[in-house]
Amino acid sequence: IYQCDWSSDVCSSDLELDAGRRREESITFATIFSPRRYVEPFRAFDMVPDMVALTVAGFSFAMVQGAVFSFYVTYLAVDLGFGLVAAGAAFAVMQGVGVGSRVLIGWIADRIGSARKTLMVLVLASATMATVIAFHGAEWPLPAIMVAVGISGVAVASWNGVYLSEVARIAPPDKVGEATAGTGFFSFLAYAISPSLCSLIIASTGSYRTAFLVVGSAPLVAAFLLARIRGD
């Protein structure tokens, strides 16, 4: 893959991963903070019509993940009375399963040959598990809670890598970086909005259940949009 001239310590790659780099452009304070650089990622939405649908799907995934990760421990410990130790253990299980499942879900998407179809399953699973979490009860035995959080770790937290691979698939080859930056902006925006929205709902209604149900409804819109994306 790499061809090197060891006498001059210069290597070139047959892959030409930085072929689009503008070598004549110097890196200065002005170029780094140029408004044009912050607008360029969003131009990817004009290049590919499906990019808007995929971005909405990513926003929905992040809404659920942000809500669950922000409030699940407090929900179990304070609202349902499981205590901090049990709530912390449940959250650790969710996080641990989420780490491993990202690799597993990527492998599954590769085996079936479709990141989009994998995302469609995950988006429905995310909405389902947000609903299951909403209907947790103080009478639930701890083993049942652990099973639920294990499944939630897969459904809520394993979408990121497969999502980015789908962004790379539908974006023009020379605009994958810009497309990733543009969609990523809205995903991280959802992470910021989701806890605030849940806090507002909980403060207004006094109900964690309502907050999880409202946020959990977002992926249902994403499922419809993902089904409309062309190809696999």
Side-chain angles (χ1 to χ4, degrees), residues 75-97:
Y75 175 51
L76 282 185
V78 176
D79 197 57
L80 299 183
F82 278 89
L84 285 174
V85 174
F91 190 66
V93 169
M94 182 186 293
Q95 291 276 32
V97 172

Side-chain angles (χ1 to χ4, degrees), residues 57 60-66 68 119-133 151-152 154-159 212 215-220 222:
S60 301
F61 273 120
M63 285 285 288
V64 177
Q65 185 174 341
V68 172
L119 288 172
M120 288 179 66
V121 173
L122 284 177
V123 82
L124 295 175
S126 181
T128 299
M129 293 316 299
T131 303
V132 170
I133 289 172
I151 298 173
S152 297
V154 179
V156 171
S158 62
W159 59 276
F212 284 125
V215 173
S217 65
L220 298 179

Side-chain angles (χ1 to χ4, degrees), residues 193-223:
I193 290 175
S194 180
S196 300
L197 175 62
C198 286
S199 294
L200 180 62
I201 294 173
I202 293 167
S204 301
T205 66
S207 171
Y208 284 83
R209 174 174 295 176
T210 301
F212 284 125
L213 288 175
V214 170
V215 173
S217 65
L220 298 179
V221 177

